[in-house]
């Protein structure tokens, strides 16, 4: 797995994790919520045999829903976390819903299984439009991950107290495993463009990630077929793509999922039979968690590195500026002999006037002051020099940690946090 941007959690990934979670956490009792980051909420659920933690994030570049390991206690005092902890206390999660190819997830809560649904958590994992909603039984918004004002969107405003409305449903064609190759090709050829764009434009549930996966598993020898115009692709290659297309639909609708990484840092939750035979059975929820947390830790490491670099740069700039000021003062203090010599020359004159004596005294005082200041200035110079040297050491330590070849990202994060 390489450093980079994590794969977007598309509708297929969402469907797979929800299928797993439904078997694990329905029913379960809500325990507590915390908000470790602005766009992320973590909730604890007590099942029949175990305690589960879910992480829900509406972060634009990494929207996700994951089953996670027990997290650190961070963010329990946020307004959203407190609203959830108080409003859902002692309530049971009785249902986890998602309609076909929609990226909207609905968690339904009741006092106990079989009772009326009185609370909802709605999660919309839709890229930059991702959001979380906490609703009452009448679908009134009690709290939202982010509110959208009228001047931000003319189509859909989001505010507490308003009635929740579903995002616009897709008018694209629903993928159907019974559709013929002729019909499929005809649909894609309505507006000729790249095969990737034809699939995304015409069918629900298709993402750039899915088109990459379909191309990867298709038995074709044409490079980058998804980026080629539909008009220029041979029927033989299209038929191979169509086979994998139908396989994806079958896996999706039958909820037949597994986990596999490919192409270094991408993953897939569905793949051809040949891959199933060679792929050992993995805990899908754990593998998806490990995948995303690998990138989240990389992001945290990068943020810590940048933060430390900025602190060192600012502090070093401050110390250097003060060092230069003191160095200038030290240079001026070396003139104390000059002032003393001027005063001596005044007293060598004949017919001294009162004004001459006063001027000489001022020069003597200035000379003595500069002479005394030299020691203090030198002390200050030493302090600033020591601080600059110490900051250089911190900079070297940072470089060593960055270059440190260790498997555990957690250790690297700990070292950076200590630094």
């Amino acid at each position: 797995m390489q450093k980079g941007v994590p794969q977007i959690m598309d509708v297929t990934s969402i469907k797979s994790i929800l299928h797993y979670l439904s078997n694990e956490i329905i029913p379960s009792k809500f325990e507590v919520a915390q908000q470790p980051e602005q766009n992320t909420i973590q909730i604890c659920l007590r099942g029949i045999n175990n305690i589960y933690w879910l992480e829900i994030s509406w972060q634009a570049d990494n929207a996700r829903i994951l089953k996670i390991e027990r997290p650190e206690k961070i963010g329990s005092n946020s307004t959203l976390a407190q609203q959830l902890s108080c409003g859902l206390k002692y309530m049971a999660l009785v249902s986890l819903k998602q309609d076909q190819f929609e990226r909207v997830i609905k968690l339904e809560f009741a006092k106990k299984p079989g009772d009326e649904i009185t609370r909802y958590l709605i999660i919309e994992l839709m890229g930059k439009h991702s959001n979380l909603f906490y609703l009452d039984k009448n679908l009134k918004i009690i709290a939202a991950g982010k509110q959208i004002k009228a001047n931000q969107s003319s189509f859909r405003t989001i505010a507490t107290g308003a009635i929740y409305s579903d995002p616009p449903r897709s008018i694209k064609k629903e993928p159907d495993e019974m559709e013929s190759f002729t019909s499929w090709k005809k649909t894609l050829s309505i507006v000729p463009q790249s095969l990737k764009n034809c699939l995304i434009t015409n069918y629900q549930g298709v993402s750039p990630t899915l088109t990459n996966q379909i191309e990867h598993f298709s038995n074709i020898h044409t490079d980058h077929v998804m980026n080629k115009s539909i008009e220029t692709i041979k029927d033989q290659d299209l038929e191979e793509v169509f086979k994998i297309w139908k396989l994806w639909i079958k896996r999706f609708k039958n909820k037949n999922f597994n986990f596999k990484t490919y192409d270094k840092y991408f993953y897939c939750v569905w793949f051809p039979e040949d891959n199933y035979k060679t792929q050992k059975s993995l805990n899908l929820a754990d593998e998806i968690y490990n995948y995303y947390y690998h990138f989240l830790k990389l992001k945290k490491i990068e943020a810590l590195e940048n933060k430390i670099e900025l602190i060192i740069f600012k502090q070093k700039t401050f110390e250097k500026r003060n060092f230069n000021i003191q160095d200038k003062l030290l240079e001026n203090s070396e003139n104390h002999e000059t002032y003393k010599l001027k005063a001596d020359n005044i007293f060598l004159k004949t017919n001294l006037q009162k004004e001459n004596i006063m001027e000489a005294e001022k020069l003597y005082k200035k000379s003595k002051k500069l002479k005394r200041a030299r020691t203090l200035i030198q002390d200050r110079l030493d302090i600033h020099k020591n601080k600059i040297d110490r900051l250089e050491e911190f900079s070297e330590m940072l470089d060593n940690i960055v270059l440190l070849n260790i498997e555990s990202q957690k250790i690297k994060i700990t070292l950076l946090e200590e630094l």
Side-chain angles (χ1 to χ4, degrees), residues 136-184:
D136 67 10
K137 64 178 180 180
N138 298 315
L139 302 184
K140 185 170 76 173
I141 300 173
I142 301 172
K146 58 184 179 185
Q147 301 200 26
I148 308 296
K149 299 177 182 177
N151 62 351
Q152 294 175 299
S153 172
S154 59
F155 179 77
R156 189 180 184 220
T157 58
I158 296 167
T160 53
I163 299 298
Y164 172 80
S165 60
D166 291 319
R169 295 185 72 86
S170 175
I171 58 172
K172 300 175 189 176
K173 193 172 180 178
E174 185 174 311
D176 182 2
E177 61 182 311
M178 301 305 294
E179 185 178 19
S180 67
F181 172 73
T182 304
S183 171
W184 179 75

Side-chain angles (χ1 to χ4, degrees), residues 215-278:
E215 180 177 1
H216 178 81
F217 294 118
S218 296
N219 185 25
I220 51 177
H221 302 290
T222 305
D223 293 332
H224 309 296
V225 69
M226 284 292 172
N227 294 324
K228 296 186 181 300
S229 172
I230 188 74
E231 295 178 312
T232 64
I233 302 172
K234 297 175 183 177
D235 274 2
Q236 182 182 351
D237 287 340
L238 276 178
E239 284 172 356
E240 290 298 325
V241 171
F242 183 64
K243 285 179 187 177
I244 303 300
W245 167 260
K246 291 184 74 172
L247 175 68
W248 164 69
I249 300 171
K250 184 179 178 182
R251 293 268 190 271
F252 187 94
K253 294 199 171 179
N254 293 337
K255 299 177 183 176
N256 188 358
F257 300 113
N258 201 343
F259 184 91
K260 181 182 180 70
T261 55
Y262 70 102
D263 275 3
K264 296 178 181 175
Y265 57 94
F266 292 102
Y267 74 90
C268 186
V269 294
W270 66 275
F271 35 87
E273 294 289 350
D274 291 343
N275 289 272
Y276 271 110
K277 290 173 185 176
T278 58

Side-chain angles (χ1 to χ4, degrees), residues 4 7-8 18 55 88 106 158 160 177-178 222 230 236 239 264 296 298 314 318 369 371 375:
Q7 180 174 305
I8 298 297
L18 293 183
E55 179 171 277
L88 298 176
K106 185 182 290 185
I158 296 167
T160 53
E177 61 182 311
M178 301 305 294
T222 305
I230 188 74
Q236 182 182 351
E239 284 172 356
K264 296 178 181 175
L296 289 169
L298 283 178
K314 284 184 175 180
F318 175 78
K369 186 176 180 181
K371 190 175 182 179
T375 304

